[in-house]
């Protein structure tokens, strides 16, 4: 899952970049298949394959495509953080990715997201958003970190909206799509936690 989390953060991502990433993912998949049975890799392998499909849904910076990504039907193997982080690749550079907004490296962000390693100082702990569905989910679980990852993404979206307001410009449609589509995506994932 770390690999997919890292590649979901790559931006900007051009058409050539998406092609290269898909080739790299295929090479990675082939290398892993030589040392392990891919059928035994479970959700990690399913997420890798689903993300490769996700790379080619729509064109860059189209809000309807971002909305479609957030309502994707490629696979339930994709974690919400993978989808939302990939949506940031389609956003303007003025809309910071969550790890940039938190001022942490890709590596530190992915270790926190996938393994639960605390984010390094001076980054404050990321608190999960208020969602009733979190009541039955252990606070140290991957599912709880998915909720916190959405909180980090929402914080980045909020900061972008504040900058737009201060500059008297309307936020791009990518912001609107992510703000509207993110919470239902995370809540749906959390509602199914433990059923997979």
């Amino acid at each position: 899952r770390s690999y997919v989390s890292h590649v979901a953060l790559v931006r900007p991502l051009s058409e050539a970049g998406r092609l290269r990433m898909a080739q790299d993912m295929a090479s990675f998949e082939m290398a892993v298949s030589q040392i392990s049975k891919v059928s035994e890799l479970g959700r990690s392998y399913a997420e890798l394959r689903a993300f490769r499909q996700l790379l080619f849904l729509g064109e860059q910076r189209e809000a309807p495509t971002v909305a479609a990504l957030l309502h994707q039907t490629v696979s339930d193997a994709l974690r919400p953080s993978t989808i939302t982080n990939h949506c940031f690749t389609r956003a303007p550079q003025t809309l910071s990715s969550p790890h940039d907004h938190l001022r942490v490296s890709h590596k530190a962000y992915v270790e926190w997201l996938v393994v639960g390693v605390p984010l390094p100082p001076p980054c404050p702990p990321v608190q999960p958003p208020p969602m009733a569905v979190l009541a039955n989910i252990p606070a140290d679980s991957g599912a709880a970190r998915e909720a916190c990852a959405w909180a980090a993404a929402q914080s980045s979206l909020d900061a972008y909206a504040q900058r737009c307001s201060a500059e008297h410009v309307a936020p791009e449609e990518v912001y609107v799509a992510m703000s509207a589509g993110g919470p239902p995506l995370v809540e749906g994932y959390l509602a199914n936690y433990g059923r997979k």
Side-chain angles (χ1 to χ4, degrees):
R1 294 202 157 198
S2 292
Y3 178 77
V4 174
S5 293
H6 274 286
V7 297
L9 291 169
V10 172
R11 75 186 279 199
L13 190 59
S14 66
E15 182 67 26
R18 287 191 290 197
L19 289 170
R20 175 62 192 260
M21 188 178 286
Q23 290 172 342
D24 290 348
M25 292 174 84
S27 297
F28 180 75
E29 186 178 344
M30 184 171 304
V32 168
S33 71
Q34 293 181 6
I35 59 173
S36 178
K37 290 184 179 179
V38 291
S39 61
E40 294 174 0
L41 297 176
R43 291 193 313 215
S44 296
Y45 178 69
E47 185 172 42
L48 174 71
R49 294 189 57 98
F51 186 75
R52 221 165 68 205
Q53 291 177 351
L54 189 73
L55 282 174
F56 296 101
L57 291 180
E59 295 300 317
Q60 291 253 83
R61 298 179 76 181
E62 287 183 11
T65 299
V66 169
L69 289 173
L70 292 166
H71 296 95
Q72 63 79 33
T73 56
V74 172
S75 171
D76 64 354
L78 291 165
R79 291 168 292 146
S81 62
T82 301
I83 297 168
T84 56
N85 287 334
H86 180 63
C87 287
F88 278 96
T89 69
R90 295 161 186 251
Q93 289 298 316
T94 53
L95 177 49
S96 300
S97 294
H99 72 283
D100 288 330
H101 180 70
L102 294 172
R103 295 187 173 101
V104 297
S105 68
H106 277 214
K107 182 179 186 253
Y109 182 78
V110 170
E111 286 176 347
W112 165 71
L113 183 60
V114 176
V115 183
V117 173
L119 290 169
C123 184
V126 179
Q127 299 300 317
M131 294 180 173
V133 72
L134 281 169
N136 298 321
I137 295 176
D140 62 346
S141 68
R145 285 191 302 278
E146 286 296 316
C148 289
W150 172 250
Q154 185 64 62
S155 179
S156 182
L157 291 165
D158 292 345
Y160 170 74
Q162 289 173 354
R163 280 191 302 277
C164 289
S165 178
E167 295 170 6
H168 304 290
V169 296
E172 290 202 25
E173 288 298 316
V174 171
Y175 161 82
V176 175
M178 289 180 73
S179 295
L185 176 71
V186 175
E187 288 174 355
Y189 177 84
L190 296 175
N192 288 320
Y193 177 71
R195 296 181 196 168
K196 296 179 182 181

